[in-house]
Amino acid sequence: MTAIPPGRTRPVTALCALAVTGAAVLSGCGGDPDAGTNGVGKLSADKIQARTRSAAQRASAVRLSGTVVTSGRTYRLDMRLKDDGGTGSVTSGADTFKLLRVGTQLYLKADADFWARSDGKGGDGNGAAAKLDGKYVKVPQGDPAYKKFSGFTDKDVLLSGLLTLHGSLATDGRHTRASTPTIRITGDHGSGGTLDVSLKGAPYPLALTRAGDAGTLRFSDWGANFTVREPEDSETVDYGRQLPTS
């Protein structure tokens, strides 16, 4: 065996150390970007959409806020939804009203001006408008308003209609929503909508841009329970079989 001259020991040792360090750096550069995530970032866009829809369906509750455009009208929503009900506010044009659903019973709460515009009394505060001001008005299930607004309080109905992108699906990189890392999926390069899905914990949807400029929504408080209860009798008005037409 050939002996290494004493003068060459330190350079050889330093070279070995440098090689080890370089290997570690290269290894770090090629690390798994999905380490510490829920793993959906590795999936195809179709599978990510399926996973996030399933996670949303299983969740006991969610808060949804943003805008929805339907039938040519823009509604600004701030709703908390759960399996047996929902509550929150809706704004459309000059009108802002509250919705509350407990089981199958839907209530609508608004001020006198809202009801006066609805019944054509011109906002004079007389008649039904004054009686309905600030009250939880029962919405009959046969009333057109029930069909129109109950969907805003129904978690399964609302999410199943929203969490579908249109066209060919693709992933569009990693992003961040409210400090949470996400994977974004798109439909038809964005024209069919975009959806940001959480890479932490359950793959919940966190942000949605709907196709055709039909609104943008944020989702939060997944699984955070809240209480929905019937309002007190003193807070409630039973208008009858049909509400004023808005």
Side-chain angles (χ1 to χ4, degrees), residues 38-218:
N38 55 26
V40 297
K42 299 178 180 180
L43 303 178
S44 67
D46 295 89
K47 289 184 177 179
I48 294 172
Q49 179 173 251
R51 290 280 183 92
T52 196
R53 286 170 63 89
S54 179
Q57 185 177 32
R58 290 194 304 268
S60 60
V62 64
R63 181 175 182 178
L64 180 154
S65 58
T67 59
V68 171
V69 181
T70 180
S71 300
R73 299 194 68 175
T74 298
Y75 296 93
R76 188 165 71 249
L77 311 178
D78 188 359
M79 301 295 301
R80 298 192 70 185
L81 311 171
K82 58 191 300 187
D83 291 335
D84 61 350
T87 183
S89 65
V90 179
T91 300
S92 179
D95 294 322
T96 296
F97 51 93
K98 293 184 178 180
L99 293 175
L100 169 66
R101 183 177 60 83
V102 183
T104 60
Q105 180 61 63
L106 179 67
Y107 299 88
L108 193 155
K109 181 178 180 180
D111 61 18
D113 288 342
F114 170 88
W115 293 112
R117 284 191 293 270
S118 298
D119 65 16
K121 294 185 180 298
D124 59 7
N126 295 324
K131 296 178 181 179
L132 303 180
D133 181 29
K135 299 290 187 179
Y136 285 98
V137 179
K138 288 185 175 182
V139 182
Q141 291 192 35
D143 191 283
Y146 189 95
K147 182 178 180 180
K148 186 174 184 179
F149 296 128
S150 62
F152 287 155
T153 67
D154 191 313
K155 180 175 77 72
D156 291 339
V157 169
L158 193 57
L159 293 181
S160 64
L162 292 173
L163 298 179
T164 299
L165 302 179
H166 302 283
S168 178
L169 301 187
T171 56
D172 187 29
R174 309 299 177 96
H175 301 268
T176 302
R177 288 284 180 175
S179 302
T180 300
T182 67
I183 181 73
R184 181 171 296 170
I185 57 176
T186 65
D188 280 348
H189 305 287
S191 63
T194 67
L195 184 66
D196 279 35
V197 178
S198 176
L199 288 172
K200 291 289 187 180
Y204 291 130
L206 298 184
L208 170 71
T209 299
R210 301 182 71 201
D213 296 322
T216 59
L217 292 162
R218 298 178 301 278

